Amino acid sequence: MGQCVTKCKNPSSSLGSKSGDKEPGSKSHHKKGGGTGGGGHKEESGTVCSKASSELMFNGTKTAVEVTVETTVIPASAMMGDLRKEDRSVADGEGPSLPRIEELFCCYKDPQEDAILEEGMERFCNDLCVDPAEFRVLVLAWKFQAATMCKFTRKEFVDGCRAIQADSLEGICSRFTCMLLEAQGEESFKDLYRFTFQFGLDAEEGQRSLQRDIAIALWRLVFTQDMPAILEHWLDFLGENPSGVRGISRDTWNMFLNFTQAIGPDLSNYSEDEAWPSLFDTFVEWEMERRKKEEQEDQRAEEERGCTETEGSPSSTDRLETEGEWGSQTWVGH
């Protein structure tokens, strides 16, 4: 994801690998999972991740677990069956627990700013077992309506958790499947696609267009689930940059989605007379020229193969001469 692709990416990393104090937090998470003590908080699956989040706050927050237990309200109807606590709360119309969301946010919050920044975001993704540069994180940022890459403000985090009905790491993980399915809907994907452009901008710098390399990375990311046939050629075109493109405007970004939906892979129905950005005209010319050269190279290679095969086999004249020699030898022998 733009900056997350270049700055936050930490593929295949272990839990809390950036500093040595992350692993103990993870282990204490499992150690504390079975016993909370106190009043009637017996459900395990709905509370495990919240306790994990609380235990990650061991640096100077000794009462985090006790606060979570005391402030969590369980309605009487939540005691029936073996449904998870989160799902029961949602079914009862109560929604996720605000104190638990706040606890989870504070686990990753930057010490100097009331937001989760790059390092905290990396730990958050590691604990969710996702790569900061993968599509699921982009979808989560979309649901949280995050304004900046590698950053969740307190409001974005709290409102986002409420929107997806989750107040723990386990709860967020369990929502990924539904979020990915939602992102496949036509209107939802259009919203995600347009969000991705804004998300890639550097708000502090006041950017109005995406840097070319960032745009290439975001295009490849946002089309993870359904890649248009023309996408790779479009990205190759931008990579070669024959038109000297430095940035991608919002209009170009938005119109490219329309382009993938309206123009076929062979580009035969593209018309310069329509209201496409001029960059698309340049791309179509470049792509048609590339295909023409590719066809010529294929034809040349085919001809070369044909010549090689012809040279490798004896000609009809050679065969006749050879047969004549054998015939002469035969008559002489008799």
Side-chain angles (χ1 to χ4, degrees), residues 23 53 93 100 114 238 303 322:
E23 291 290 340
S53 303
R100 285 164 60 100
D114 196 32
L238 293 177
E303 290 173 354
T322 303

Side-chain angles (χ1 to χ4, degrees), residues 30-217:
H30 293 292
K31 187 183 349 179
K32 296 266 187 178
T36 58
H41 197 77
K42 303 206 185 261
E43 293 77 19
E44 293 182 7
S45 62
T47 60
V48 172
C49 280
S50 66
K51 293 172 187 174
S53 303
S54 299
E55 288 302 308
L56 288 172
M57 298 179 64
F58 54 81
N59 286 331
T61 317
K62 297 180 180 180
T63 59
V65 174
E66 288 78 10
V67 171
T68 301
V69 174
E70 292 173 3
T71 55
T72 301
V73 178
I74 304 177
S77 59
M79 299 304 294
M80 62 173 157
D82 58 354
L83 294 172
R84 290 201 324 237
K85 175 181 177 294
E86 290 174 356
D87 294 335
R88 287 200 298 272
S89 297
V90 172
D92 293 336
E94 184 176 314
S97 164
L98 179 59
R100 285 164 60 100
I101 296 175
E102 295 279 359
E103 288 285 340
L104 186 59
F105 172 80
C106 289
C107 293
Y108 305 100
K109 184 181 90 68
D110 185 79
Q112 307 300 325
E113 187 174 342
D114 196 32
I116 300 174
L117 302 183
E118 182 181 336
E119 184 177 346
M121 188 70 73
E122 190 169 345
R123 290 191 291 111
F124 179 53
C125 291
N126 284 337
D127 291 351
L128 287 173
C129 299
V130 296
D131 187 325
E134 72 174 90
F135 181 65
R136 283 185 293 179
V137 178
L138 175 63
V139 172
L140 185 64
W142 167 57
K143 296 301 292 184
F144 281 21
Q145 287 298 292
T148 306
M149 286 186 184
C150 300
K151 179 178 179 179
F152 286 149
T153 65
R154 182 183 292 270
K155 185 178 188 308
E156 289 169 351
F157 190 87
V158 171
D159 290 350
C161 284
R162 283 175 161 174
I164 65 173
Q165 295 287 288
D167 55 17
S168 67
L169 290 173
E170 182 187 51
I172 295 172
C173 286
S174 70
R175 302 300 187 267
F176 275 130
T177 300
C178 291
M179 288 189 286
L180 293 177
L181 287 173
E182 180 183 351
Q184 292 178 6
E186 183 177 351
E187 290 303 316
S188 293
F189 180 75
K190 182 184 292 187
D191 188 60
L192 169 63
Y193 181 84
R194 294 186 174 182
F195 162 83
T196 302
F197 177 86
Q198 185 64 40
F199 187 58
L201 297 177
D202 190 332
E204 295 178 359
E205 295 289 331
Q207 286 184 342
R208 299 174 66 87
S209 61
L210 287 176
Q211 296 178 21
R212 180 170 55 92
D213 292 343
I214 296 296
I216 290 173

